[in-house]
Amino acid sequence: MADVEQQEQGEKPLTTADLLKSHSVKVIESHMASTYEESAVEVGLEAVHKYKQYKDIASHVKHQFDKKYPGSGKATEGVFHCVCGKNFATAISHETRYYIHVQVDTVHIVLFKSKDNPFSISEA
């Protein structure tokens, strides 16, 4: 709501530098290229600033990454997933170099890319 009011009043939207002044960010673990990592921090900051409910934060991060880094559409290519909250545990399989765990203030965001079916039927 505040962003809409800023735009209506002719003020510039908040930049990542502005958001870093009011939020603390810590990359807990990353297996991403630096460009993806920077994008994850920016999108995570934006989401925590804009939304209060974890489901909305996770949805925003996932959809922004899907939009920014679209897949080729092949069934063998993975898709992004996002988990968000304060207290949770995960045990996930992710594609190589597509995992990041970021903390923005007290909110933890885990973003990863995974294939829909990581195992072939013959291996199961």
Side-chain angles (χ1 to χ4, degrees):
M1 187 63 112
D3 293 338
V4 173
E5 290 171 3
Q6 284 179 341
Q7 290 174 357
E8 288 174 358
Q9 296 173 1
E11 295 179 23
K12 296 186 300 184
L14 293 173
T15 64
T16 302
D18 294 332
L19 293 174
L20 282 170
K21 292 176 186 175
S22 59
H23 298 282
S24 65
V25 176
K26 181 180 178 185
V27 176
I28 308 249
E29 187 172 353
S30 177
H31 300 280
M32 285 189 162
S34 61
T35 55
Y36 279 74
E37 189 175 307
E38 290 168 9
S39 292
V41 168
E42 289 174 13
V43 172
L45 266 169
E46 177 185 295
V48 169
H49 183 76
K50 190 173 183 179
Y51 300 103
K52 300 299 175 214
Q53 294 188 357
Y54 299 140
K55 68 178 184 72
D56 295 330
I57 294 169
S59 179
H60 179 81
V61 172
K62 185 230 184 316
H63 287 105
Q64 288 299 313
F65 255 71
D66 285 342
K67 187 166 53 170
K68 191 166 187 172
Y69 302 107
S72 64
K74 293 181 180 178
T76 57
E77 188 173 11
V79 293
F80 284 102
H81 303 277
C82 186
V83 179
C84 177
K86 288 187 181 181
N87 296 304
F88 61 88
T90 61
I92 60 170
S93 296
H94 61 86
E95 289 191 33
T96 305
R97 299 195 44 81
Y98 287 102
Y99 172 88
I100 190 166
H101 178 180
V102 179
Q103 182 178 353
V104 180
D105 297 333
T106 59
V107 179
H108 290 264
I109 300 169
V110 174
L111 177 69
F112 61 98
K113 190 173 189 181
S114 177
K115 294 180 181 172
D116 288 335
N117 185 5
F119 306 104
S120 69
I121 294 173
S122 63
E123 292 178 16

